[in-house]
Amino acid sequence: MIVFNYIENTITDIESDILITRSSSGKILDSLFELAKKFPNRWIAWKNSTPVDWDDFDSQKSVTYKMLSSGKAPDFIDTGLGYVEDTPFINYSENHWYPTWIMSAEQGMIHATVLNKIKHFRSSADFEYDINLLARIFQHQGILCYSNLKKNPTRSNYFKAYKLVGHTMKKGWLPFLLLCHLKYDKRFPFFAFAKAIFLKKIVPIVDFLELQINQVEPFINTQYDVIIPTMGRASYLYDVINDLANQTLLPQTVYIVEQNPNKEASTELDRILNGYWPFSIDHKLIHKTGACNARNIALEKTRAKWVLLFDDDARLKPNVLENMVSLAENLNVKCINAAYLQKGEHEHQKTWKQWPYFGSGCSLIHRDIVDRCKFDKALEHGYGEDVDFGMQIRRAGYDVIYAPQIQILHLKAPVGGFREKRIFPWSTDNIQPKPSPHIMYFRKKNYSVNQLKGYKLVQWFKNYGKLGSFLPWGHNRLFNKAWESSKKYANSL
């Protein structure tokens, strides 16, 4: 590892087990790229005057296509970026490793192979801004970014915040951010906005697939269970069980939780239960509907190291589970999401990457997650229980990795399923809650105050004219009633 020390954007010295001549460049990011060219197999690290526990960093270095940092968060993160960033990456948890593009300038590292793939990147005299811009752009393309951050009490920097939005998002988000600052913070950082409005979005495209594939080691044989909640889809489920029986890596046990609201009903799965399968089947018939409850019942029973969360109307090729388990073991992560595609859909993403979502019908999760996370039954019969489970995974200190090359076909069966039509307490209200109380509950639980405010303003614009008035003041009155109704019912879930 090569470590350079710096003070106020100036390199003071370089620590290494080999003799290194100081870079002639005045910009620290340029120095990183120069060192990467000279030493293509090394980790390049930075630190300021604070002591560093490099052993803690070493625990995170499972692959080279990672970017790691530790220390205070940048001074521009808490300037309202949550108004325009609707992902879990910005709402980080303090004092443990968290999946996020936010990088601390106090200490961190990136591998030379990543820098050499990028080859060149715009740099400035502000190293802190540069590494955050680099991480934000290339996280989407397959670089895994993690930080162990603390809140920064330093006064907010609006110029950097608007600059970051101008460099990484569509132009329309800049006036939206200015409107949020004016509406919610009673601030009007016009000069920061005006300076950013002329910036061009930086969209370099780098192919990290070769870098990722070259680090996948031979398949690791291990055990996994499968859980499948089902309702009214016996023929579809039979096809699923057949697909599991044809896997190159067989499950240990398949847990089926069958739901039927008719308390006098018996199982519809005799064909499955009376068949011969190369794994155990644990079947439970319950007369209470709801995917959250069904999945939690099955999760409690599982015993294997890995658990596949699956649906009863999906189809998969014989090597899917082997590939999912192998990738999870290679990356040393606790959760893999496969691409869940409907017929005719195509996935253009090539590299695996950190994902802001979670799919409850196409995910492989580790025993550690099973022991710490459960589906929130407050979201039963609504929407958001899967992404909420993903947020629980991140809060527990793990990550969700999306693997687009591993694909599962989602049939979206026209019969059965879990979204039975229900009458909610708000179903007959004259003013329907906006958004749905389930979505409001999920957002209040998992997102920052600024993210919720930004989401509210987005919904204000999206619903304009749909609530019964095209007059701004009339729409505002109706929307606020619908929003308050959503909050009221969300609190009762």
Side-chain angles (χ1 to χ4, degrees):
M1 182 171 65
I2 299 169
V3 184
F4 66 80
N5 298 280
Y6 77 98
I7 297 176
E8 296 182 353
N9 291 301
T10 302
I11 295 177
T12 56
D13 63 90
I14 299 177
E15 302 173 18
S16 178
D17 56 351
I18 53 178
L19 182 63
I20 296 178
T21 303
R22 283 278 304 279
S23 168
S24 59
S25 173
K27 297 176 180 177
I28 296 179
L29 188 63
D30 288 343
S31 297
L32 260 72
F33 280 95
E34 289 178 18
L35 286 169
K37 289 178 183 177
K38 294 178 181 178
F39 309 101
N41 298 312
R42 297 276 185 139
W43 285 89
I44 314 294
W46 65 87
K47 74 181 183 76
N48 55 18
S49 57
T50 58
V52 183
D53 180 6
W54 292 119
D55 289 339
D56 191 29
F57 277 84
D58 288 341
S59 68
Q60 301 297 313
K61 295 192 306 186
S62 54
V63 290
T64 61
Y65 45 93
K66 280 189 175 183
M67 191 171 179
L68 308 168
S69 81
S70 179
K72 291 180 183 177
D75 60 1
F76 53 87
I77 295 300
D78 291 327
T79 54
L81 279 178
Y83 292 141
V84 296
E85 168 105 6
D86 196 40
T87 74
F89 300 133
I90 196 169
N91 192 24
Y92 62 88
S93 296
E94 287 190 278
N95 300 316
H96 73 72
W97 290 101
Y98 187 84
T100 178
W101 56 264
I102 302 171
M103 291 286 127
S104 174
E106 289 191 0
Q107 54 241 352
M109 61 172 57
I110 187 171
H111 200 269
T113 52
V114 173
L115 297 171
N116 288 332
K117 273 288 183 183
I118 297 171
K119 294 182 180 178
H120 178 72
F121 192 73
R122 58 142 330 267
S123 59
S124 68
D126 187 342
F127 177 63
E128 180 181 63
Y129 180 82
D130 288 346
I131 58 171
N132 277 274
L133 179 62
L134 187 145
R136 184 172 168 84
I137 289 174
F138 292 112
Q139 182 195 42
H140 297 294
Q141 299 181 38
I143 299 304
L144 308 182
C145 302
Y146 301 91
S147 287
N148 188 343
L149 297 170
K150 307 182 200 59
K151 296 288 184 182
N152 192 338
T154 308
R155 186 177 178 181
S156 299
N157 190 315
Y158 287 95
F159 281 94
K160 289 184 185 180
Y162 278 84
K163 185 179 178 182
L164 189 70
V165 174
H167 275 147
T168 60
M169 300 181 73
K170 293 181 179 179
K171 278 285 189 285
W173 288 108
L174 286 168
F176 182 85
L177 180 58
L178 184 66
L179 180 60
C180 286
H181 279 136
L182 183 62
K183 177 178 175 61
Y184 298 122
D185 301 338
K186 309 306 180 204
R187 288 181 171 273
F188 190 59
F190 177 77
F191 291 110
F193 162 78
K195 193 172 181 179
I197 201 69
F198 296 104
L199 296 174
K200 289 184 178 181
K201 185 177 179 181
I202 300 174
V203 286
I205 304 298
V206 177
D207 184 6
F208 293 110
L209 184 58
E210 182 182 5
L211 187 61
Q212 291 184 340
I213 291 175
N214 287 343
Q215 295 179 56
V216 176
E217 297 178 359
F219 166 63
I220 301 169
N221 195 359
T222 190
Q223 292 183 328
Y224 69 94
D225 290 334
V226 181
I227 70 169
I228 307 175
T230 187
M231 185 168 67
R233 289 176 176 168
S235 62
Y236 287 91
L237 181 59
Y238 183 81
D239 290 337
V240 171
I241 300 300
N242 263 310
D243 285 350
L244 291 173
N246 290 319
Q247 289 297 300
T248 53
L249 177 64
L250 292 170
Q252 179 175 284
T253 305
V254 177
Y255 294 89
I256 300 173
V257 180
E258 182 183 3
Q259 302 157 81
N260 192 323
N262 181 1
K263 294 183 178 180
E264 305 300 321
S266 58
T267 182
E268 299 175 354
L269 307 180
D270 290 335
R271 186 183 179 195
I272 294 173
L273 300 178
N274 295 330
Y276 171 77
W277 308 103
F279 42 72
S280 299
I281 288 186
D282 183 304
H283 169 258
K284 184 177 180 63
L285 172 65
I286 61 174
H287 301 292
K288 179 180 180 181
T289 63
C292 295
N293 178 60
R295 290 193 178 102
N296 286 341
I297 289 172
L299 284 172
E300 289 288 340
K301 291 185 172 187
T302 59
R303 293 293 178 267
K305 178 181 180 180
W306 294 97
V307 175
L308 175 69
L309 303 179
F310 212 58
D311 281 341
D312 59 359
D313 61 341
R315 301 302 304 271
L316 65 168
K317 294 179 180 179
N319 63 346
V320 166
L321 270 302
E322 178 180 329
N323 290 340
M324 289 184 78
V325 172
S326 180
L327 182 60
E329 295 279 8
N330 272 278
L331 294 183
N332 192 28
V333 296
K334 306 293 187 182
C335 175
I336 296 289
N337 262 214
Y340 206 28
L341 306 177
Q342 295 181 45
K343 191 173 183 179
E345 284 187 323
H346 298 282
E347 175 56 82
H348 300 291
Q349 174 79 22
K350 300 299 181 185
T351 54
W352 45 84
K353 64 175 183 176
Q354 291 170 306
W355 209 34
Y357 312 108
F358 178 84
S360 56
C362 57
S363 298
L364 185 75
I365 58 175
H366 192 272
R367 177 94 251 142
D368 292 347
I369 291 175
V370 175
D371 292 340
R372 298 185 63 179
C373 304
K374 295 292 180 287
F375 285 91
D376 190 339
K377 289 195 283 188
L379 295 166
E380 196 76 281
H381 301 295
Y383 292 90
E385 80 282 352
D386 44 3
V387 283
D388 176 79
F389 194 85
M391 291 300 298
Q392 292 182 49
I393 291 173
R394 296 180 190 92
R395 296 295 177 207
Y398 310 121
D399 197 4
V400 178
I401 301 297
Y402 175 61
Q405 315 94 325
I406 304 174
Q407 300 184 355
I408 296 171
L409 177 63
H410 190 194
L411 298 179
K412 296 287 283 187
V415 297
F418 315 111
R419 304 294 183 191
E420 59 177 319
K421 188 173 180 59
R422 293 182 66 85
I423 302 298
F424 293 107
W426 56 85
S427 297
T428 56
D429 288 2
N430 290 329
I431 296 180
Q432 286 295 295
K434 294 288 183 182
S436 77
H438 292 96
I439 298 299
M440 178 68 79
Y441 172 89
F442 160 74
R443 286 187 167 271
K444 289 182 69 177
K445 175 183 175 183
N446 294 299
Y447 283 77
S448 69
V449 172
N450 282 348
Q451 284 181 303
L452 190 60
K453 289 178 178 178
Y455 174 75
K456 180 180 181 180
L457 195 54
V458 167
Q459 293 303 305
W460 191 95
F461 285 111
K462 280 188 174 181
N463 287 280
Y464 193 86
K466 298 178 181 178
L467 303 180
S469 175
F470 283 92
L471 298 174
W473 51 87
H475 170 70
N476 190 61
R477 176 176 55 82
L478 292 172
F479 178 79
N480 283 335
K481 285 185 177 180
W483 183 268
E484 291 303 316
S485 173
S486 179
K487 286 173 60 177
K488 179 187 74 173
Y489 286 117
N491 290 336
S492 68
L493 288 175

